[in-house]
Amino acid sequence: MNPVNVLAKLWKRLMLRGSEFGGSYGKLRLLYSLEDPWDMASPREQHRFAQTLAQLQSMAPRFGSVLEFGCGEGHQSLSLIGISDRLHGVDISPAAVARAGNRCPQASFEVAALEDALTIIPDQRFDLITACEVLYYAMDIDDILGKLQSRTDRLYVSNYKPRSDKMRASFAGDGWRRLEDIRFEDTVWECFVWEAPERR
């Protein structure tokens, strides 16, 4: 492996150490000093995007307005644009949001921490909110889920399985159902959807 790639991988691992369930986002912002720090262009992530899209389209072929919670650099936004009339993305990193805007100029993007994301979009409701691979960086997941549910009739969440084990109880309440896991080689993501009573 290229020595530069080895160093980048070690640095990413260091940045992620202690970031789970802490609500401290400084290290996550630093990760975006590298482009595509999560390897979103990889076959693994592209497979996840395609499977996520299939799960969403099994609920509705298209959504009027979509909020992508934790949009990163807009890699998954590219697929969400295809099923939405209006896509709005939110992420904690200014660098990531700038890259997302360049990647998807037809969408709108904002910088905000997970806990503050909805304060910058006051009084707006969405037909769908997605939170893919992001909630396990927050300190109070249930509080964030409650805020998201207040702005939509349908909330889709996916979590990398080793992290999902620690938060699965948050998706066991009224209106939640577990979808089929997404799998790519040895990687598994658990997927959940919450729907308001009128959507069930």
Side-chain angles (χ1 to χ4, degrees):
M1 183 182 277
N2 183 319
V4 174
N5 292 340
V6 171
L7 285 174
K9 192 170 185 178
L10 289 172
W11 185 74
K12 284 190 284 187
R13 196 173 291 167
L14 177 65
M15 288 298 98
L16 288 173
R17 185 176 296 154
S19 62
E20 295 174 17
F21 309 108
S24 178
Y25 305 120
K27 287 183 177 181
L28 294 178
R29 289 188 186 95
L30 275 175
L31 271 176
Y32 285 104
S33 58
L34 299 174
E35 284 198 42
D36 193 12
W38 308 107
D39 297 321
M40 293 296 184
S42 68
R44 178 193 66 227
E45 296 298 331
Q46 293 299 311
H47 173 80
R48 180 174 65 80
F49 298 163
Q51 293 302 304
T52 297
L53 205 61
Q55 289 185 339
L56 293 173
Q57 289 191 289
S58 72
M59 300 171 211
R62 192 166 184 82
F63 301 89
S65 57
V66 175
L67 173 63
E68 184 183 7
F69 196 62
C71 63
E73 297 172 318
H75 290 87
Q76 189 160 15
S77 310
L78 286 172
S79 61
L80 293 174
I81 282 172
I83 62 166
S84 60
D85 297 332
R86 294 175 311 283
L87 177 67
H88 195 94
V90 176
D91 201 271
I92 52 116
S93 165
V97 163
R99 290 174 195 148
N102 291 334
R103 183 168 278 113
C104 307
Q106 64 273 56
S108 60
F109 299 94
E110 300 278 354
V111 178
L114 298 178
E115 291 78 5
D116 303 326
L118 293 180
T119 64
I120 63 168
I121 318 166
D123 305 321
Q124 187 171 343
R125 286 191 63 78
F126 298 91
D127 297 312
L128 170 70
I129 295 178
T130 66
C132 299
E133 322 317 313
V134 66
L135 289 175
Y136 32 71
Y137 296 113
M139 185 175 291
D140 191 337
I141 295 164
D142 292 332
D143 179 63
I144 290 175
L145 288 174
K147 290 175 181 173
L148 295 178
Q149 288 166 325
S150 74
R151 296 292 194 89
T152 188
D153 291 339
R154 186 174 281 134
L155 171 59
Y156 175 91
V157 176
S158 66
N159 303 306
Y160 177 54
K161 188 179 184 310
R163 295 175 182 159
S164 192
D165 290 343
K166 298 178 182 177
M167 53 196 290
R168 198 173 294 119
S170 296
F171 311 108
D174 187 44
W176 284 102
R177 63 187 166 95
R178 186 167 171 179
L179 304 175
E180 186 174 342
D181 292 348
I182 296 174
R183 298 175 179 273
F184 184 85
E185 296 176 351
D186 294 334
T187 306
V188 179
W189 297 270
E190 292 185 357
C191 306
F192 304 87
V193 64
W194 173 86
E195 294 176 303
E198 56 270 26
R199 292 285 183 188
R200 296 175 206 163

